[in-house]
Amino acid sequence: MTTGLIPGGQTPDPRPASTRAPHQRGDLTGQGALHVDDRPRSSVITARAAASFEPVGRSVATARSFVRDTLQGWGFADIIDDAVVLTSELVTNAVVHAGTHADVLCLRSAEGVRIEVSDRYPEREIPLQGSLATMGSPDREGGRGLQLCAAIAGRWGVDYTPTHKQVWFQLDLPDRPVGTRTAGPSLPAALLPLADSRVRVAVVQIDRTGAISAWNEDAEELFGYTADQVTGKPLTDLAAWPHTPGTSTGIVEALQLSRWEGSYGIRGSNGRVTPVYASHLRVRDTDGEPSTVCLLVRDHERAVLQTPSRLPASDTTTGSDGQSTDPFEVFIGSPAPDDLDGLLQRTVERARDMLDADSAFLLLATDDETELEVRASTGLPSARQRFARVPVEAGPGRYGSARMPAVHEDLLAVPGAVPLLNGTGMRSVVTVPLKVEGRLTGSLGVAAEAAGRYSNEEALRLQFAADRIALAVESARLGELERLRRGSLSFLVEASDLLAGTLDRDQTLALMAQMTVPTLATWCAVYTIADQASDPYLSYVLHEDEELIDGIKSLLSKIAPPDPVPTPGARVWAAPAAAAHDAALRSSMRSLGLTGGPTHQVSSGIGPTLATASAVGGETVVLPLVARNRVIGMLTLGKPTDEHFRQEILELAEDLSRRAALALDNARLYSERTAISQALQRSLLPPETPKIDGVEVEVIYRAAGEGNEVGGDFYDVFPIRDGVYGFAIGDVCGTGPNAAAVTGLARHALRLLAREGLSGPAVLERLNSAILDEGARSRFLTLLYGEMRPQEDGSAELKVVCAGHPLPLRLRQDGTVEAAAEPQPLLGVMEDLELYEQTVTLDPGDVLLCVTDGVTERREGTRMLGDDGLADVLTTCTGLTAGAVAARIMRAVERFASDAPSDDMAILAMRVA
């Protein structure tokens, strides 16, 4: 359903002359003839409301509610039932029987209400002549609605166009005696309101300062004060507030209104408070001095003064059917929207209709009641105004505050009095507060394009409506706030889990942006700061539309980044919107050829385009990313053109920025530590494996622990002198950086001592002394060290020392496997070692396999690979190259157990070609 309301003036028939069909009159001679009228509609239409309904069954009920709510808002309660019945029948004919959309138009004039129902099936037969008797049974399709129109409506008719058929009817307002505003029915004496034997009406006159200037005899009788005792005293000295339950107008404010009715208490001379019902009228004397005349009766005699046409001050009224009716539903309509946005939108629409306004708006107060946030509007550019903020105290004095009703007859005379309406063309405006238990919760206002449309009387009517809805609005707002807070907690918990799940800097940046878009913002940019001397760097950009990411990134790269201010909270950054606007303007001028050069079409590429300008043209805020008392970056959130952030969203974004900043700094520290560790570890690995004539050499190395490239295991193959090569494979006790330190000592010491011409045992004995010299930092070491000399006959001679290390295995060409050395004491335990070397000759095709204990001690539950298991795998490697042998051994080790290896592993395979 689509609806719209257009305040009236003189409204011509919108249809072209060629399509207007004259109304046909029925035969009026017979009883019950069709009462079709060809007289033109009233030339003065004061308001109109339109709606379109889809061809589905539920549209009939929706149309009834639309007409009921519209006429209720216009104050035409006397004709609502008739209008709803007729509309229901005509809309049923359109959407159910004709099967087309139904367009309903309500027009208000001084004579009454005219309702037009149009369908899009002009060929459907509509009888226009003859008596009611000839129209057939009431159950006949298409006939009952016209029968009802003839029976109920004052005037009705049918119009045809080539595409539409329109049935209209007019309901006149009931006549009232001349000079009578309202009149109640005659009642039995038992139903008349109770009063004392003599009704006393106190007449009190209040001057412009609020002081009592006149006090009649009935006032003396009611309250016990003589005129001399009270003359010159402020009425507030005698009045005991609180005021009427459910209203929010104080007595001082009530005295400033042109009319006011309500209840309060007067403290008598005996100290007791007498509840009174008061009627205030603002007048001025012949000298132009204003004063207020107050008529007061005892509260139980309020019927003497109370205006019948106005709803009573109690919370409920009694409907025509005798059932209690909630005044809130009288204003809002039934059923009331069950969501806050729907309730607020219905409220502004009702307020606009009630005062015949051109626009209306409703603002809700922030938690500290210092600002008001626009939450609903009608007749205004809502996309621009939604979530905009205005201060509560907009001007000097109490009457410049949103806490008080205010009427501005002409905004041109007081520019800026209502900042929300600047540039909207509105001239007159009335605003009233929404209060719950004396606390400001919002503000409701209506405005018109004409000046002088509103007075204190309209302010009183609007305040009465505001008092009826204030509690419902506040309840809905608190409910929405509770849902938002629960959602915020869930969002922050999920965000914390995601941010804690990674230590990768780039992934953390991506998560930050993905969590904010589109949940918190339409687009997001993250700036990072490497150190205090560095400028902010644009690290990541994300938009909910991926096609706009490159354009936003290009735009942001052309403007200076925001200042890295450590002050917490979001601050507005206007540079992106301004730059986008300028870029879009230049692109448009170039596309129109207004720059003096050749005409260019607006590019859809990476550069700033009109789409980019629209994407970043709204509010942009910057939140600092502060970790460990240092600004490490900025989180920038943006909205598209004419959109603003809600305070709740900004508070949630601030909470997220604190968590994201810590996660980003942790990722930075981890990345730096990992980079340093890996650089140091790489310095411990051999630079390269030398090429040995006639011998294939292959090494596979796996360090245990995430981020470790070097652990306690190590290997090395290096030239000693011409034709002689050294090789070593060892295992330091433990893993990690401490073991890697001993690894560096052992590898460099081996190279240095071997090149000094020392034998294998001598090299290991000196290395043993060096390890023991480390004292408490020393660790024991198992080491297999050997020297290789390729021979002219194609074989290779090896001299090997195995100090506590797993024995090397020799694979012969016939598939047999045997140990190539004998075990000797390990290093780093005893000072005096007596080591010896053994000589091994590898024939062509033989393989020497050297491993660390991480290979042989690979476990799966209670099973262990062991030396025998390794030998069994090696027997399957006959005829393979050194690289293939090493790869098969590593694959067998990995498949032996499902868990990741817990120890460092090194495999050195040498094969004589």
Side-chain angles (χ1 to χ4, degrees), residues 634-675:
M634 285 88 69
L635 178 63
T636 304
L637 306 179
K639 287 281 191 179
T641 301
D642 295 338
E643 289 196 20
H644 301 268
F645 286 97
R646 294 178 56 181
Q647 182 63 26
E648 295 87 348
I649 296 298
L650 294 179
E651 292 173 355
L652 182 58
E654 185 177 357
D655 288 338
L656 176 64
S657 68
R658 287 193 291 267
R659 291 165 169 79
L662 188 58
L664 183 60
D665 198 48
N666 289 338
R668 177 187 63 83
L669 294 175
Y670 178 78
S671 298
E672 291 178 356
R673 191 200 72 176
T674 300

Side-chain angles (χ1 to χ4, degrees), residues 825-861:
L826 52 77
L827 308 180
V829 178
M830 299 179 294
E831 294 185 359
D832 297 329
L833 288 180
E834 294 183 1
L835 302 175
Y836 58 92
E837 62 184 8
Q838 296 174 276
T839 301
V840 179
T841 300
L842 297 180
D843 296 327
D846 289 354
V847 175
L848 184 70
L849 177 66
C850 309
V851 299
T852 59
D853 60 2
V855 174
T856 57
E857 295 179 1
R858 176 73 163 151
R859 295 179 180 274
E860 173 69 18

Side-chain angles (χ1 to χ4, degrees), residues 141-350:
E141 287 190 5
R144 186 171 56 190
L146 299 179
Q147 285 180 311
L148 291 174
C149 286
I152 297 176
R155 284 177 286 167
W156 68 280
V158 182
D159 294 341
Y160 286 97
T161 71
T163 59
H164 289 73
K165 177 179 78 270
Q166 179 189 97
V167 180
W168 62 269
F169 61 87
Q170 180 163 325
L171 299 174
D172 298 328
L173 296 177
D175 294 331
R176 290 173 178 167
V178 177
T180 301
R181 182 173 179 224
T182 60
S186 299
L187 295 176
L191 297 180
L192 296 175
L194 293 174
D196 291 346
S197 57
R198 176 184 175 186
V199 177
R200 297 186 180 274
V201 179
V203 180
V204 182
Q205 193 155 357
I206 311 299
D207 62 21
R208 67 185 310 166
T209 65
I212 298 172
S213 59
W215 184 266
N216 72 342
E217 294 180 358
D218 281 355
E220 294 182 10
E221 291 292 334
L222 285 175
F223 309 121
Y225 300 106
T226 64
D228 294 337
Q229 289 176 307
V230 296
T231 300
K233 291 185 177 180
L235 179 62
T236 53
D237 289 353
L238 305 180
W241 217 246
H243 43 71
T244 303
T247 66
S248 57
T249 304
I251 191 169
V252 175
E253 295 77 40
L255 293 174
Q256 301 297 322
L257 299 176
S258 61
R259 287 184 180 274
W260 186 85
E261 289 184 17
S263 298
Y264 51 86
I266 295 293
R267 186 174 289 106
S269 60
N270 58 1
R272 294 183 178 179
V273 175
T274 301
V276 298
Y277 188 84
S279 175
H280 296 177
L281 176 66
R282 189 80 163 156
V283 298
R284 61 176 178 171
D285 59 20
T286 54
D287 296 329
E289 287 294 318
S291 61
T292 301
V293 177
C294 304
L295 305 180
L296 300 94
V297 296
R298 293 183 178 92
D299 193 64
H300 65 273
E301 297 172 336
R302 63 169 58 198
V304 175
L305 298 180
Q306 191 172 31
T307 303
S309 62
R310 187 169 300 153
L311 290 175
S314 59
D315 291 337
T316 60
T317 59
T318 301
S320 59
D321 58 357
Q323 296 182 352
S324 178
T325 303
D326 187 355
F328 165 75
E329 291 189 357
V330 172
F331 178 72
I332 291 296
S334 180
D338 56 0
D339 63 303
L340 178 61
D341 289 337
L343 176 61
L344 299 184
Q345 192 61 35
R346 180 80 66 86
T347 299
V348 296
E349 292 172 358
R350 293 293 184 270

Side-chain angles (χ1 to χ4, degrees), residues 700-751:
I700 296 179
Y701 183 80
R702 297 286 189 272
E706 184 179 357
N708 291 331
E709 294 189 10
V710 176
D713 291 4
F714 69 94
Y715 70 93
D716 201 1
V717 180
F718 56 92
I720 298 176
R721 53 187 177 274
D722 291 342
V724 180
Y725 298 87
F727 64 91
I729 184 169
D731 185 1
V732 179
C733 176
T735 60
N738 293 330
V742 179
T743 297
L745 171 65
R747 193 177 69 80
H748 291 294
L750 283 176
R751 287 194 173 214

Side-chain angles (χ1 to χ4, degrees), residues 93-161:
N93 289 339
V95 302
V96 176
H97 302 310
T100 74
H101 282 72
D103 300 323
V104 179
L105 175 64
C106 301
L107 302 174
R108 182 181 68 183
S109 67
E111 300 176 4
V113 174
R114 173 178 170 131
I115 297 178
E116 301 175 355
V117 179
S118 303
D119 63 39
R120 303 173 189 180
Y121 191 70
E123 295 85 3
R124 189 168 184 81
E125 179 184 359
I126 294 293
L128 296 178
Q129 295 182 354
S131 66
L132 291 177
T134 64
M135 296 179 66
S137 169
D139 297 328
R140 179 178 180 271
E141 287 190 5
R144 186 171 56 190
L146 299 179
Q147 285 180 311
L148 291 174
C149 286
I152 297 176
R155 284 177 286 167
W156 68 280
V158 182
D159 294 341
Y160 286 97
T161 71

Side-chain angles (χ1 to χ4, degrees), residues 340 343 436 469-481 483:
L340 178 61
L343 176 61
V436 175
I469 66 168
L471 185 58
V473 169
E474 179 66 3
S475 298
R477 187 187 74 86
L478 292 176
E480 181 193 64
L481 186 60
R483 290 190 297 271

Side-chain angles (χ1 to χ4, degrees), residues 486-502:
R486 291 182 179 179
S488 299
L489 290 176
S490 177
F491 173 79
L492 291 175
V493 168
E494 182 179 359
S496 299
D497 290 342
L498 291 173
L499 292 171
T502 179

